[in-house]
Amino acid sequence: MTLAKEIRQIRQGSTMDTAILDVRQLVKHYGPVHAVKGVSFSIQPGICFGLLGPNGAGKTTTIEMIEGILPVSSGTILYKGAPRGESFTQEVGIQLQNTELPMFLTVKETLDTFRNLYTRRLSSQELVATCRLQEMLDQDNRKISGGQRQRLLLAMALSNDPDLIFLDEPTTGLDPQARRYLWEIVEDLKARGKTIVLTTHYMDEAQKLCDEIAIMDHGKIIAMGETRALLDTHCKGSSIVLPGPVPKQALERLGTPWFPLKDGRTTIQTEETDRSLKALMESGVDLSSVVVMPQTLEDLFLKLTGKALRN
Ligand code: ATP
């Protein structure tokens, strides 16, 4: 058991593993499209669980079935050990991928409107402090930046002080600083014992925030577990990144996985860095701009799906 897990269990006063969310054999057909093909996972309270996968893998469909937005074709979803009912509606917070904000309202008016939908709710002050909204409260929704908009959407999702929070690609399109700002908020939520289900295209984000991840491709989970353990198992070596295309013959000689990236770079995954570099040099590959890095979640993702999430 990891230290983080032990601390969570001590905080919860229990050594029992009671899943906050238990998903069994979830299936979704959109007419002839078999979008989700029997997905199962359990999420323990207090962790950040990342659902990752390339475009069209079935992440949003899976999340929206769990949230109750989409009907399931088949499968079981249990919240705190029971079928989802009124407590689920009251105790979850959802930040959708695309949400239209009400026009002609200020940020403060929007927050108040949302808070009033719930009986259990966070105070305005807490919401404003948690999501760092103070300086934008009187601004019209149409005039806030992308990062401010994401923080407002998160605040709306937190209005009811949820135990379980779904964040569907909360940082897509944000600049690095705005992303980091949002990460800090997610870390705060985790520190308060909230459970978070996060989908993201950014592997650095998943590696930083997620205690556990599931990687989906073609509607199925192809790898799942504690982030650190997955990395330790699958990503022992390093990544050699070359700035341009590399002749196929030279790559095949290496006997290790390699991937041409969309931006023209080539990445080679190896457990024997020196031997691979020597082999490339012997094949006449220009190594003057080579970069050698420890393998990351991005490399695990490439290895498992053959696709880069973002290039
Ligand atoms: P992205 O990262 O691009 O958001 P995703 O992993 O969330 O992708 P989904 O949006 O769940 O993937 O889509 C899974 C599959 O289901 C895709 O093939 C998609 O085209 C298909 N799909 C999604 N919504 C519908 C729909 N309403 N009708 C028909 N097919 C759909």
Side-chain angles (χ1 to χ4, degrees), residues 16-284:
M16 296 279 290
D17 272 353
T18 312
I20 190 164
L21 196 63
D22 201 9
V23 174
R24 294 283 141 225
Q25 289 303 321
L26 208 53
V27 170
K28 181 69 182 177
H29 294 277
Y30 294 108
V33 180
H34 196 175
V36 177
K37 303 172 183 166
V39 160
S40 302
F41 55 81
S42 269
I43 302 179
Q44 297 302 315
I47 72 160
C48 180
F49 182 88
L51 195 56
L52 316 176
N55 291 122
K59 307 177 298 290
T60 298
T61 303
T62 301
I63 294 283
E64 291 190 349
M65 284 193 285
I66 298 169
E67 290 165 345
I69 293 170
L70 276 178
V72 304
S73 297
S74 62
T76 313
I77 300 163
L78 300 179
Y79 173 66
K80 295 183 179 174
R84 293 160 304 164
E86 185 53 26
S87 65
F88 180 80
T89 317
Q90 289 297 325
E91 293 171 10
V92 300
I94 299 174
Q95 183 178 353
L96 296 170
Q97 218 177 87
N98 298 305
T99 307
E100 287 300 323
L101 285 169
M103 292 211 289
F104 308 112
L105 288 189
T106 63
V107 166
K108 182 172 184 327
E109 288 164 344
T110 310
L111 270 186
D112 288 343
T113 308
F114 260 79
R115 284 184 59 254
N116 286 333
L117 297 175
Y118 296 98
T119 42
R120 157 179 154 161
R121 57 195 176 208
L122 275 184
S123 72
S124 290
Q125 293 89 326
E126 276 176 286
L127 272 182
V128 168
T130 302
C131 298
R132 293 135 208 211
L133 304 176
Q134 190 58 52
E135 84 288 2
M136 54 190 263
L137 279 178
D138 295 325
Q139 283 190 49
D140 190 302
N141 285 338
R142 291 167 301 170
K143 299 198 177 130
I144 56 179
S145 71
Q148 290 176 325
R149 181 186 156 83
Q150 289 306 98
R151 295 206 313 273
L152 171 56
L153 291 177
L154 182 56
M156 287 156 65
L158 300 179
S159 296
N160 55 330
D161 192 17
D163 293 340
L164 175 62
I165 304 155
F166 294 94
L167 305 178
D168 197 357
E169 298 188 20
T171 63
T172 297
L174 298 188
D175 63 52
Q177 196 189 355
R179 285 178 67 212
R180 275 169 207 287
Y181 218 25
L182 224 89
W183 292 358
E184 284 174 22
I185 299 174
V186 172
E187 298 274 21
D188 273 3
L189 293 170
K190 272 173 64 176
R192 286 195 227 161
K194 303 292 184 188
T195 310
I196 297 162
V197 180
L198 173 80
T199 70
T200 180
H201 280 278
Y202 298 112
M203 291 295 100
D204 56 340
E205 180 163 299
Q207 197 161 336
K208 174 151 180 58
L209 298 178
C210 298
D211 304 286
E212 293 181 24
I213 55 169
I215 298 182
M216 283 189 79
D217 201 13
H218 301 297
K220 290 185 181 159
I221 290 181
I222 56 171
M224 182 159 59
E226 290 191 5
T227 311
R228 191 64 259 164
L230 279 174
L231 284 169
D232 289 346
T233 309
H234 296 281
C235 298
K236 292 197 183 92
S238 55
S239 266
I240 298 173
V241 184
L242 292 145
V246 177
K248 207 169 167 195
Q249 254 182 329
L251 291 167
E252 278 169 354
R253 269 192 63 192
L254 296 171
T256 56
W258 49 270
F259 305 91
L261 302 177
K262 278 190 201 139
D263 62 6
R265 289 176 306 151
T266 305
T267 186
I268 296 158
Q269 295 176 352
T270 179
E271 289 188 24
E272 296 173 87
T273 312
D274 291 352
R275 196 188 64 76
S276 299
L277 286 172
K278 189 161 173 270
L280 287 168
M281 205 159 59
E282 284 168 2
S283 299

